[in-house]
Each structure stands twice: as structure tokens, then as C-alpha cells.
Amino acid sequence: MTKTRPEQFETRSNNSVCKIDMPKTTYILDTHGFLYQLFHALPPMSSPQGEPVGAIYGFTKDLFNLIERYKPDYLFCAFDLPGQTFRSELYSEYKANRSEMPDDLKPQIGFACEILEALGIPQLALPGYEADDIMATVARLAVEQNGQCVIVTNDKDCRQLISDHVSLLNLRKQSFYTAENLLADWGIRPEQVVDFQALVGDPTDNVPGVPLIGPKIASELLQKYDTLETVFEHISDISGKKRQENLRAGQEAALLSRQLVRLNCQVPIEVDWADHQFRNEAKLQALFQRFGFRSFSAKAKEASLF
């Protein structure tokens, strides 16, 4: 990590005060989403002890590449925790269609935590909240201190966080996703993403949306009326009797969907910006030996965060 310290600011998190050096760039990784993607994209691998390690091999490799290529000033990994969240309290069917985590992926979540701990990369999670909420909160804190934030994720929900100071990084494609990309894809601005998703819904998370309102129609409605409230105020002006009926019938579902997709950027989580200094080289090398990652031993010495 660079040692340049141009200016210091204070930030408060969960009633604690910590120092953060800015201007800096903070990267935060959607860890579960990343591991799921790697698990399905890479062939199975086993450690010398027979443990499944394919996803964690790809995770470690990409982590080193991220550090080497982008040189983050701060790097955090956000995690989902088991159990209910405030969204499932709002809507009991939220994510009800999700399948169980594959058996061969379950132990690799723990392996990822061990590698991150050895590397000195902080892990952030809080019961009742999702990783997306953690990432939204870290992004807010970084921006409040005049910094930049890069959210490493493919999750479309995070498009609502895009701003002049916040961008998304697709690590697979090595490409950043910005407001210009969003306009080209969905025809809307970042501040309209939540309303767009409220209309369209999200079958992945079992977010209902409005029946028969797809991305194209939602984009057209928001381009004309700007907000969800204004769309509903002008239902009678919208072409198509069936579309009007669907919007009237789906208004309650849309308002609920907006609550479900809106990320909480006020998660009461402690973010220690000075916690990137506890790398345990011996533990890291022992993990690589256990997993059979011989090629990473030398790589680990090059990919220093400090």
C-alpha cells in the first residue's frame, strides 16, 4: 500500500472515530457473489487432502491480480451471513426460490476467510444485512471523505450506487461500469435504478415487480415520467389499456419491490481503515501448501498491500 499521506480526515462509524487518509481509492469485493461465479465457471479441483478448492484457487488468483493491477489503497471483502435480513422481514418470499449452496462450495467460503485473514484484508459482515448493503455503506463512507470507491461485483442492484465517485468493476472482463454504460444498457440514470427494478422485478431474488412490465417498457416510462411516483400519477396517460391495468394492479407490489432492491448505505458496521497491516506470511504459505497452490507462494510475496 502506498505510504503517501496527503491529508487526514475523521470518519465516524458505530460511535467510533477513526482516521482515514484521503484522497484514496477504496475497493470492496462482493465475496459470495464472486465465489459463486468462480465455482460454476472453473473445473473442480481438490487439495492434497481431497478438499474442494477450485473456487478458492480462482479467488486467490483474481485477488492477487486485482492487487497487482489496480493497486487499491484500501481493500475490503463483504460477506453475506446466514439467517434472516430486514428484507425477508418485509417480504417472506424474498429469495425463496434460491437453491441451497452446493456442498463443495460451502467449505470454500471458510477457506476464503482464512486466506483473507492471512493477507490482512478486512472482512465485513453484519447479521440482518446483505453484502450489497455493506458495500453501499463503505462506498458512502469513502465518498464522504473525498475518496473514490470501486465496487467489485456483477450484481445489478449495485448500479444504483454509481456516481462520479463510485464505479463498478467486472473483474472477469477487467472493465469498469459507469453511468454511461448504464444509460446505454437501461436508458436511465443511476438515481432511477431502484425505480426501474421496482417496475421490472428480479426473479433471481424473487422480487415481484409489475407483471408484464419489462426492461424496455420500464425504461420508456422512466424516461418520460422520471420517477415511480410520477409513473403511477400518470397511469391514465399511458398508452394501452392492459398496461394501465397492470400498473394499477401492480402498484403495491412495485412499492414493496422498491423497498427490497434499495440498498441500505447506513449499516451500523465498524470500518477500520487502519486494519491493513496484519499480514501473516507464515499462515499464508501454510494455507497454500495445504491447498496445493504451489504457484502462489512466490506470487504472494509480490502482491503486497503494504
PDB file of all heavy atoms in Angstrom, residues 121-158:
ATOM      1  N   ILE A 121      -6.574  -8.660   4.816  1.00  0.00           N
ATOM      2  CA  ILE A 121      -7.661  -7.949   4.140  1.00  0.00           C
ATOM      3  C   ILE A 121      -8.918  -8.044   5.007  1.00  0.00           C
ATOM      4  O   ILE A 121      -9.406  -9.146   5.261  1.00  0.00           O
ATOM      5  CB  ILE A 121      -7.931  -8.544   2.745  1.00  0.00           C
ATOM      6  CG1 ILE A 121      -6.673  -8.404   1.870  1.00  0.00           C
ATOM      7  CG2 ILE A 121      -9.123  -7.862   2.085  1.00  0.00           C
ATOM      8  CD1 ILE A 121      -6.788  -9.086   0.527  1.00  0.00           C
ATOM      9  N   PRO A 122      -9.449  -6.931   5.482  1.00  0.00           N
ATOM     10  CA  PRO A 122     -10.600  -6.972   6.388  1.00  0.00           C
ATOM     11  C   PRO A 122     -11.839  -7.582   5.743  1.00  0.00           C
ATOM     12  O   PRO A 122     -12.120  -7.369   4.562  1.00  0.00           O
ATOM     13  CB  PRO A 122     -10.846  -5.496   6.721  1.00  0.00           C
ATOM     14  CG  PRO A 122      -9.541  -4.823   6.451  1.00  0.00           C
ATOM     15  CD  PRO A 122      -8.938  -5.557   5.302  1.00  0.00           C
ATOM     16  N   GLN A 123     -12.570  -8.341   6.547  1.00  0.00           N
ATOM     17  CA  GLN A 123     -13.826  -8.960   6.123  1.00  0.00           C
ATOM     18  C   GLN A 123     -14.972  -8.251   6.848  1.00  0.00           C
ATOM     19  O   GLN A 123     -14.937  -8.105   8.066  1.00  0.00           O
ATOM     20  CB  GLN A 123     -13.818 -10.447   6.465  1.00  0.00           C
ATOM     21  CG  GLN A 123     -12.629 -11.201   5.875  1.00  0.00           C
ATOM     22  CD  GLN A 123     -12.435 -12.564   6.511  1.00  0.00           C
ATOM     23  OE1 GLN A 123     -13.384 -13.346   6.599  1.00  0.00           O
ATOM     24  NE2 GLN A 123     -11.224 -12.875   6.946  1.00  0.00           N
ATOM     25  N   LEU A 124     -15.969  -7.837   6.091  1.00  0.00           N
ATOM     26  CA  LEU A 124     -17.068  -7.063   6.648  1.00  0.00           C
ATOM     27  C   LEU A 124     -18.386  -7.797   6.466  1.00  0.00           C
ATOM     28  O   LEU A 124     -18.730  -8.216   5.352  1.00  0.00           O
ATOM     29  CB  LEU A 124     -17.154  -5.692   5.966  1.00  0.00           C
ATOM     30  CG  LEU A 124     -15.889  -4.817   6.037  1.00  0.00           C
ATOM     31  CD1 LEU A 124     -16.114  -3.517   5.268  1.00  0.00           C
ATOM     32  CD2 LEU A 124     -15.517  -4.524   7.481  1.00  0.00           C
ATOM     33  N   ALA A 125     -19.127  -7.960   7.543  1.00  0.00           N
ATOM     34  CA  ALA A 125     -20.440  -8.602   7.506  1.00  0.00           C
ATOM     35  C   ALA A 125     -21.189  -8.205   8.768  1.00  0.00           C
ATOM     36  O   ALA A 125     -20.565  -7.871   9.791  1.00  0.00           O
ATOM     37  CB  ALA A 125     -20.309 -10.116   7.424  1.00  0.00           C
ATOM     38  N   LEU A 126     -22.511  -8.246   8.697  1.00  0.00           N
ATOM     39  CA  LEU A 126     -23.321  -7.927   9.864  1.00  0.00           C
ATOM     40  C   LEU A 126     -24.651  -8.655   9.750  1.00  0.00           C
ATOM     41  O   LEU A 126     -25.295  -8.625   8.688  1.00  0.00           O
ATOM     42  CB  LEU A 126     -23.562  -6.408   9.955  1.00  0.00           C
ATOM     43  CG  LEU A 126     -24.125  -5.900  11.282  1.00  0.00           C
ATOM     44  CD1 LEU A 126     -23.103  -6.062  12.410  1.00  0.00           C
ATOM     45  CD2 LEU A 126     -24.541  -4.436  11.163  1.00  0.00           C
ATOM     46  N   PRO A 127     -25.081  -9.350  10.814  1.00  0.00           N
ATOM     47  CA  PRO A 127     -26.374 -10.047  10.765  1.00  0.00           C
ATOM     48  C   PRO A 127     -27.510  -9.089  10.420  1.00  0.00           C
ATOM     49  O   PRO A 127     -27.550  -7.950  10.891  1.00  0.00           O
ATOM     50  CB  PRO A 127     -26.532 -10.593  12.189  1.00  0.00           C
ATOM     51  CG  PRO A 127     -25.134 -10.717  12.708  1.00  0.00           C
ATOM     52  CD  PRO A 127     -24.382  -9.565  12.105  1.00  0.00           C
ATOM     53  N   GLY A 128     -28.419  -9.559   9.593  1.00  0.00           N
ATOM     54  CA  GLY A 128     -29.568  -8.754   9.215  1.00  0.00           C
ATOM     55  C   GLY A 128     -29.384  -7.935   7.957  1.00  0.00           C
ATOM     56  O   GLY A 128     -30.341  -7.327   7.472  1.00  0.00           O
ATOM     57  N   TYR A 129     -28.162  -7.913   7.451  1.00  0.00           N
ATOM     58  CA  TYR A 129     -27.864  -7.133   6.254  1.00  0.00           C
ATOM     59  C   TYR A 129     -27.158  -8.007   5.224  1.00  0.00           C
ATOM     60  O   TYR A 129     -26.517  -9.001   5.564  1.00  0.00           O
ATOM     61  CB  TYR A 129     -26.972  -5.932   6.593  1.00  0.00           C
ATOM     62  CG  TYR A 129     -27.607  -4.960   7.559  1.00  0.00           C
ATOM     63  CD1 TYR A 129     -27.395  -5.080   8.943  1.00  0.00           C
ATOM     64  CD2 TYR A 129     -28.427  -3.929   7.106  1.00  0.00           C
ATOM     65  CE1 TYR A 129     -27.985  -4.199   9.832  1.00  0.00           C
ATOM     66  CE2 TYR A 129     -29.014  -3.042   7.999  1.00  0.00           C
ATOM     67  CZ  TYR A 129     -28.788  -3.185   9.354  1.00  0.00           C
ATOM     68  OH  TYR A 129     -29.372  -2.309  10.240  1.00  0.00           O
ATOM     69  N   GLU A 130     -27.262  -7.596   3.969  1.00  0.00           N
ATOM     70  CA  GLU A 130     -26.595  -8.315   2.900  1.00  0.00           C
ATOM     71  C   GLU A 130     -25.277  -7.643   2.540  1.00  0.00           C
ATOM     72  O   GLU A 130     -25.033  -6.482   2.898  1.00  0.00           O
ATOM     73  CB  GLU A 130     -27.510  -8.387   1.672  1.00  0.00           C
ATOM     74  CG  GLU A 130     -28.800  -9.153   1.923  1.00  0.00           C
ATOM     75  CD  GLU A 130     -29.662  -9.248   0.682  1.00  0.00           C
ATOM     76  OE1 GLU A 130     -29.153  -9.676  -0.365  1.00  0.00           O
ATOM     77  OE2 GLU A 130     -30.848  -8.897   0.765  1.00  0.00           O
ATOM     78  N   ALA A 131     -24.457  -8.376   1.809  1.00  0.00           N
ATOM     79  CA  ALA A 131     -23.169  -7.833   1.381  1.00  0.00           C
ATOM     80  C   ALA A 131     -23.352  -6.551   0.580  1.00  0.00           C
ATOM     81  O   ALA A 131     -22.538  -5.623   0.677  1.00  0.00           O
ATOM     82  CB  ALA A 131     -22.402  -8.871   0.565  1.00  0.00           C
ATOM     83  N   ASP A 132     -24.420  -6.476  -0.213  1.00  0.00           N
ATOM     84  CA  ASP A 132     -24.672  -5.263  -1.003  1.00  0.00           C
ATOM     85  C   ASP A 132     -24.844  -4.045  -0.101  1.00  0.00           C
ATOM     86  O   ASP A 132     -24.405  -2.939  -0.447  1.00  0.00           O
ATOM     87  CB  ASP A 132     -25.930  -5.440  -1.856  1.00  0.00           C
ATOM     88  CG  ASP A 132     -25.711  -6.372  -3.031  1.00  0.00           C
ATOM     89  OD1 ASP A 132     -24.566  -6.811  -3.238  1.00  0.00           O
ATOM     90  OD2 ASP A 132     -26.692  -6.668  -3.744  1.00  0.00           O
ATOM     91  N   ASP A 133     -25.503  -4.219   1.039  1.00  0.00           N
ATOM     92  CA  ASP A 133     -25.680  -3.110   1.977  1.00  0.00           C
ATOM     93  C   ASP A 133     -24.340  -2.707   2.599  1.00  0.00           C
ATOM     94  O   ASP A 133     -24.086  -1.513   2.810  1.00  0.00           O
ATOM     95  CB  ASP A 133     -26.664  -3.509   3.082  1.00  0.00           C
ATOM     96  CG  ASP A 133     -28.023  -3.905   2.538  1.00  0.00           C
ATOM     97  OD1 ASP A 133     -28.605  -3.144   1.763  1.00  0.00           O
ATOM     98  OD2 ASP A 133     -28.493  -5.015   2.887  1.00  0.00           O
ATOM     99  N   ILE A 134     -23.514  -3.694   2.890  1.00  0.00           N
ATOM    100  CA  ILE A 134     -22.183  -3.410   3.412  1.00  0.00           C
ATOM    101  C   ILE A 134     -21.384  -2.602   2.393  1.00  0.00           C
ATOM    102  O   ILE A 134     -20.731  -1.598   2.731  1.00  0.00           O
ATOM    103  CB  ILE A 134     -21.436  -4.722   3.737  1.00  0.00           C
ATOM    104  CG1 ILE A 134     -22.221  -5.580   4.745  1.00  0.00           C
ATOM    105  CG2 ILE A 134     -20.024  -4.431   4.218  1.00  0.00           C
ATOM    106  CD1 ILE A 134     -22.327  -4.997   6.119  1.00  0.00           C
ATOM    107  N   MET A 135     -21.447  -3.015   1.129  1.00  0.00           N
ATOM    108  CA  MET A 135     -20.695  -2.317   0.078  1.00  0.00           C
ATOM    109  C   MET A 135     -21.221  -0.896  -0.110  1.00  0.00           C
ATOM    110  O   MET A 135     -20.445   0.039  -0.312  1.00  0.00           O
ATOM    111  CB  MET A 135     -20.763  -3.104  -1.222  1.00  0.00           C
ATOM    112  CG  MET A 135     -20.047  -4.447  -1.136  1.00  0.00           C
ATOM    113  SD  MET A 135     -19.869  -5.321  -2.714  1.00  0.00           S
ATOM    114  CE  MET A 135     -21.580  -5.770  -3.050  1.00  0.00           C
ATOM    115  N   ALA A 136     -22.538  -0.727  -0.029  1.00  0.00           N
ATOM    116  CA  ALA A 136     -23.125   0.609  -0.158  1.00  0.00           C
ATOM    117  C   ALA A 136     -22.659   1.517   0.969  1.00  0.00           C
ATOM    118  O   ALA A 136     -22.381   2.707   0.761  1.00  0.00           O
ATOM    119  CB  ALA A 136     -24.647   0.510  -0.155  1.00  0.00           C
ATOM    120  N   THR A 137     -22.556   0.966   2.165  1.00  0.00           N
ATOM    121  CA  THR A 137     -22.117   1.748   3.321  1.00  0.00           C
ATOM    122  C   THR A 137     -20.648   2.143   3.201  1.00  0.00           C
ATOM    123  O   THR A 137     -20.273   3.297   3.465  1.00  0.00           O
ATOM    124  CB  THR A 137     -22.356   0.953   4.618  1.00  0.00           C
ATOM    125  OG1 THR A 137     -23.761   0.686   4.746  1.00  0.00           O
ATOM    126  CG2 THR A 137     -21.872   1.718   5.835  1.00  0.00           C
ATOM    127  N   VAL A 138     -19.805   1.204   2.802  1.00  0.00           N
ATOM    128  CA  VAL A 138     -18.381   1.514   2.622  1.00  0.00           C
ATOM    129  C   VAL A 138     -18.201   2.558   1.528  1.00  0.00           C
ATOM    130  O   VAL A 138     -17.380   3.479   1.660  1.00  0.00           O
ATOM    131  CB  VAL A 138     -17.585   0.235   2.304  1.00  0.00           C
ATOM    132  CG1 VAL A 138     -16.162   0.566   1.872  1.00  0.00           C
ATOM    133  CG2 VAL A 138     -17.566  -0.685   3.513  1.00  0.00           C
ATOM    134  N   ALA A 139     -18.981   2.444   0.452  1.00  0.00           N
ATOM    135  CA  ALA A 139     -18.903   3.430  -0.624  1.00  0.00           C
ATOM    136  C   ALA A 139     -19.264   4.818  -0.098  1.00  0.00           C
ATOM    137  O   ALA A 139     -18.593   5.816  -0.402  1.00  0.00           O
ATOM    138  CB  ALA A 139     -19.820   3.035  -1.773  1.00  0.00           C
ATOM    139  N   ARG A 140     -20.321   4.890   0.694  1.00  0.00           N
ATOM    140  CA  ARG A 140     -20.723   6.184   1.258  1.00  0.00           C
ATOM    141  C   ARG A 140     -19.621   6.773   2.132  1.00  0.00           C
ATOM    142  O   ARG A 140     -19.281   7.961   2.023  1.00  0.00           O
ATOM    143  CB  ARG A 140     -22.009   6.025   2.073  1.00  0.00           C
ATOM    144  CG  ARG A 140     -22.421   7.313   2.806  1.00  0.00           C
ATOM    145  CD  ARG A 140     -23.629   7.088   3.692  1.00  0.00           C
ATOM    146  NE  ARG A 140     -23.392   6.125   4.748  1.00  0.00           N
ATOM    147  CZ  ARG A 140     -22.762   6.393   5.895  1.00  0.00           C
ATOM    148  NH1 ARG A 140     -22.269   7.615   6.114  1.00  0.00           N
ATOM    149  NH2 ARG A 140     -22.608   5.461   6.810  1.00  0.00           N
ATOM    150  N   LEU A 141     -19.052   5.950   2.998  1.00  0.00           N
ATOM    151  CA  LEU A 141     -18.005   6.429   3.898  1.00  0.00           C
ATOM    152  C   LEU A 141     -16.784   6.918   3.120  1.00  0.00           C
ATOM    153  O   LEU A 141     -16.196   7.958   3.446  1.00  0.00           O
ATOM    154  CB  LEU A 141     -17.598   5.318   4.867  1.00  0.00           C
ATOM    155  CG  LEU A 141     -18.637   4.930   5.921  1.00  0.00           C
ATOM    156  CD1 LEU A 141     -18.192   3.673   6.671  1.00  0.00           C
ATOM    157  CD2 LEU A 141     -18.875   6.072   6.887  1.00  0.00           C
ATOM    158  N   ALA A 142     -16.404   6.184   2.085  1.00  0.00           N
ATOM    159  CA  ALA A 142     -15.249   6.581   1.281  1.00  0.00           C
ATOM    160  C   ALA A 142     -15.500   7.914   0.573  1.00  0.00           C
ATOM    161  O   ALA A 142     -14.648   8.807   0.563  1.00  0.00           O
ATOM    162  CB  ALA A 142     -14.911   5.492   0.262  1.00  0.00           C
ATOM    163  N   VAL A 143     -16.691   8.061   0.002  1.00  0.00           N
ATOM    164  CA  VAL A 143     -17.021   9.286  -0.730  1.00  0.00           C
ATOM    165  C   VAL A 143     -17.123  10.472   0.223  1.00  0.00           C
ATOM    166  O   VAL A 143     -16.713  11.585  -0.119  1.00  0.00           O
ATOM    167  CB  VAL A 143     -18.325   9.098  -1.524  1.00  0.00           C
ATOM    168  CG1 VAL A 143     -18.805  10.422  -2.112  1.00  0.00           C
ATOM    169  CG2 VAL A 143     -18.123   8.084  -2.638  1.00  0.00           C
ATOM    170  N   GLU A 144     -17.661  10.257   1.405  1.00  0.00           N
ATOM    171  CA  GLU A 144     -17.776  11.339   2.381  1.00  0.00           C
ATOM    172  C   GLU A 144     -16.407  11.893   2.766  1.00  0.00           C
ATOM    173  O   GLU A 144     -16.306  13.040   3.207  1.00  0.00           O
ATOM    174  CB  GLU A 144     -18.510  10.848   3.633  1.00  0.00           C
ATOM    175  CG  GLU A 144     -20.012  10.715   3.443  1.00  0.00           C
ATOM    176  CD  GLU A 144     -20.708  10.208   4.690  1.00  0.00           C
ATOM    177  OE1 GLU A 144     -20.007   9.868   5.679  1.00  0.00           O
ATOM    178  OE2 GLU A 144     -21.954  10.145   4.677  1.00  0.00           O
ATOM    179  N   GLN A 145     -15.371  11.085   2.593  1.00  0.00           N
ATOM    180  CA  GLN A 145     -14.018  11.524   2.922  1.00  0.00           C
ATOM    181  C   GLN A 145     -13.242  11.938   1.665  1.00  0.00           C
ATOM    182  O   GLN A 145     -12.018  11.905   1.640  1.00  0.00           O
ATOM    183  CB  GLN A 145     -13.278  10.413   3.657  1.00  0.00           C
ATOM    184  CG  GLN A 145     -14.026   9.834   4.849  1.00  0.00           C
ATOM    185  CD  GLN A 145     -14.488  10.897   5.829  1.00  0.00           C
ATOM    186  OE1 GLN A 145     -13.754  11.847   6.082  1.00  0.00           O
ATOM    187  NE2 GLN A 145     -15.684  10.757   6.352  1.00  0.00           N
ATOM    188  N   ASN A 146     -14.003  12.333   0.620  1.00  0.00           N
ATOM    189  CA  ASN A 146     -13.412  12.824  -0.627  1.00  0.00           C
ATOM    190  C   ASN A 146     -12.650  11.758  -1.390  1.00  0.00           C
ATOM    191  O   ASN A 146     -11.739  12.077  -2.160  1.00  0.00           O
ATOM    192  CB  ASN A 146     -12.489  14.026  -0.370  1.00  0.00           C
ATOM    193  CG  ASN A 146     -13.229  15.201   0.240  1.00  0.00           C
ATOM    194  OD1 ASN A 146     -14.423  15.375   0.010  1.00  0.00           O
ATOM    195  ND2 ASN A 146     -12.537  15.999   1.037  1.00  0.00           N
ATOM    196  N   GLY A 147     -12.968  10.510  -1.168  1.00  0.00           N
ATOM    197  CA  GLY A 147     -12.288   9.422  -1.866  1.00  0.00           C
ATOM    198  C   GLY A 147     -13.117   8.859  -2.996  1.00  0.00           C
ATOM    199  O   GLY A 147     -14.241   9.286  -3.273  1.00  0.00           O
ATOM    200  N   GLN A 148     -12.546   7.885  -3.675  1.00  0.00           N
ATOM    201  CA  GLN A 148     -13.221   7.135  -4.725  1.00  0.00           C
ATOM    202  C   GLN A 148     -13.484   5.715  -4.212  1.00  0.00           C
ATOM    203  O   GLN A 148     -12.729   5.208  -3.380  1.00  0.00           O
ATOM    204  CB  GLN A 148     -12.344   7.062  -5.979  1.00  0.00           C
ATOM    205  CG  GLN A 148     -12.012   8.412  -6.588  1.00  0.00           C
ATOM    206  CD  GLN A 148     -13.183   9.047  -7.303  1.00  0.00           C
ATOM    207  OE1 GLN A 148     -13.983   8.357  -7.930  1.00  0.00           O
ATOM    208  NE2 GLN A 148     -13.293  10.367  -7.225  1.00  0.00           N
ATOM    209  N   CYS A 149     -14.523   5.090  -4.727  1.00  0.00           N
ATOM    210  CA  CYS A 149     -14.814   3.714  -4.349  1.00  0.00           C
ATOM    211  C   CYS A 149     -15.100   2.894  -5.601  1.00  0.00           C
ATOM    212  O   CYS A 149     -15.839   3.339  -6.484  1.00  0.00           O
ATOM    213  CB  CYS A 149     -16.009   3.644  -3.405  1.00  0.00           C
ATOM    214  SG  CYS A 149     -16.324   1.963  -2.764  1.00  0.00           S
ATOM    215  N   VAL A 150     -14.508   1.720  -5.658  1.00  0.00           N
ATOM    216  CA  VAL A 150     -14.757   0.773  -6.735  1.00  0.00           C
ATOM    217  C   VAL A 150     -15.371  -0.474  -6.109  1.00  0.00           C
ATOM    218  O   VAL A 150     -14.770  -1.092  -5.230  1.00  0.00           O
ATOM    219  CB  VAL A 150     -13.467   0.413  -7.491  1.00  0.00           C
ATOM    220  CG1 VAL A 150     -13.751  -0.654  -8.544  1.00  0.00           C
ATOM    221  CG2 VAL A 150     -12.856   1.654  -8.127  1.00  0.00           C
ATOM    222  N   ILE A 151     -16.573  -0.827  -6.554  1.00  0.00           N
ATOM    223  CA  ILE A 151     -17.267  -1.999  -6.047  1.00  0.00           C
ATOM    224  C   ILE A 151     -17.057  -3.134  -7.037  1.00  0.00           C
ATOM    225  O   ILE A 151     -17.452  -3.032  -8.202  1.00  0.00           O
ATOM    226  CB  ILE A 151     -18.765  -1.714  -5.851  1.00  0.00           C
ATOM    227  CG1 ILE A 151     -18.945  -0.539  -4.875  1.00  0.00           C
ATOM    228  CG2 ILE A 151     -19.490  -2.946  -5.333  1.00  0.00           C
ATOM    229  CD1 ILE A 151     -20.378  -0.071  -4.744  1.00  0.00           C
ATOM    230  N   VAL A 152     -16.405  -4.188  -6.583  1.00  0.00           N
ATOM    231  CA  VAL A 152     -16.070  -5.315  -7.457  1.00  0.00           C
ATOM    232  C   VAL A 152     -17.224  -6.310  -7.394  1.00  0.00           C
ATOM    233  O   VAL A 152     -17.322  -7.117  -6.473  1.00  0.00           O
ATOM    234  CB  VAL A 152     -14.743  -5.969  -7.033  1.00  0.00           C
ATOM    235  CG1 VAL A 152     -14.331  -7.035  -8.044  1.00  0.00           C
ATOM    236  CG2 VAL A 152     -13.643  -4.911  -6.913  1.00  0.00           C
ATOM    237  N   THR A 153     -18.107  -6.217  -8.382  1.00  0.00           N
ATOM    238  CA  THR A 153     -19.317  -7.038  -8.383  1.00  0.00           C
ATOM    239  C   THR A 153     -19.928  -7.069  -9.767  1.00  0.00           C
ATOM    240  O   THR A 153     -19.711  -6.164 -10.572  1.00  0.00           O
ATOM    241  CB  THR A 153     -20.353  -6.486  -7.382  1.00  0.00           C
ATOM    242  OG1 THR A 153     -21.487  -7.358  -7.339  1.00  0.00           O
ATOM    243  CG2 THR A 153     -20.823  -5.099  -7.785  1.00  0.00           C
ATOM    244  N   ASN A 154     -20.737  -8.101 -10.016  1.00  0.00           N
ATOM    245  CA  ASN A 154     -21.566  -8.156 -11.212  1.00  0.00           C
ATOM    246  C   ASN A 154     -23.039  -7.988 -10.862  1.00  0.00           C
ATOM    247  O   ASN A 154     -23.896  -8.135 -11.740  1.00  0.00           O
ATOM    248  CB  ASN A 154     -21.364  -9.498 -11.939  1.00  0.00           C
ATOM    249  CG  ASN A 154     -19.959  -9.659 -12.477  1.00  0.00           C
ATOM    250  OD1 ASN A 154     -19.294  -8.678 -12.801  1.00  0.00           O
ATOM    251  ND2 ASN A 154     -19.506 -10.898 -12.575  1.00  0.00           N
ATOM    252  N   ASP A 155     -23.333  -7.711  -9.617  1.00  0.00           N
ATOM    253  CA  ASP A 155     -24.705  -7.589  -9.142  1.00  0.00           C
ATOM    254  C   ASP A 155     -25.325  -6.297  -9.669  1.00  0.00           C
ATOM    255  O   ASP A 155     -24.820  -5.195  -9.404  1.00  0.00           O
ATOM    256  CB  ASP A 155     -24.725  -7.599  -7.618  1.00  0.00           C
ATOM    257  CG  ASP A 155     -26.123  -7.796  -7.051  1.00  0.00           C
ATOM    258  OD1 ASP A 155     -27.087  -7.333  -7.688  1.00  0.00           O
ATOM    259  OD2 ASP A 155     -26.245  -8.401  -5.969  1.00  0.00           O
ATOM    260  N   LYS A 156     -26.438  -6.430 -10.387  1.00  0.00           N
ATOM    261  CA  LYS A 156     -27.077  -5.262 -10.990  1.00  0.00           C
ATOM    262  C   LYS A 156     -27.683  -4.327  -9.954  1.00  0.00           C
ATOM    263  O   LYS A 156     -27.894  -3.147 -10.238  1.00  0.00           O
ATOM    264  CB  LYS A 156     -28.134  -5.718 -11.997  1.00  0.00           C
ATOM    265  CG  LYS A 156     -27.534  -6.423 -13.213  1.00  0.00           C
ATOM    266  CD  LYS A 156     -28.603  -6.903 -14.180  1.00  0.00           C
ATOM    267  CE  LYS A 156     -27.968  -7.607 -15.379  1.00  0.00           C
ATOM    268  NZ  LYS A 156     -28.991  -8.113 -16.330  1.00  0.00           N
ATOM    269  N   ASP A 157     -27.985  -4.838  -8.759  1.00  0.00           N
ATOM    270  CA  ASP A 157     -28.512  -3.968  -7.710  1.00  0.00           C
ATOM    271  C   ASP A 157     -27.550  -2.823  -7.399  1.00  0.00           C
ATOM    272  O   ASP A 157     -27.984  -1.720  -7.048  1.00  0.00           O
ATOM    273  CB  ASP A 157     -28.779  -4.760  -6.431  1.00  0.00           C
ATOM    274  CG  ASP A 157     -29.955  -5.717  -6.559  1.00  0.00           C
ATOM    275  OD1 ASP A 157     -30.699  -5.606  -7.554  1.00  0.00           O
ATOM    276  OD2 ASP A 157     -30.125  -6.566  -5.670  1.00  0.00           O
ATOM    277  N   CYS A 158     -26.264  -3.085  -7.526  1.00  0.00           N
ATOM    278  CA  CYS A 158     -25.263  -2.078  -7.171  1.00  0.00           C
ATOM    279  C   CYS A 158     -25.176  -0.943  -8.185  1.00  0.00           C
ATOM    280  O   CYS A 158     -24.480   0.054  -7.935  1.00  0.00           O
ATOM    281  CB  CYS A 158     -23.892  -2.734  -7.005  1.00  0.00           C
ATOM    282  SG  CYS A 158     -23.762  -3.752  -5.519  1.00  0.00           S
TER     283      CYS A 158
END
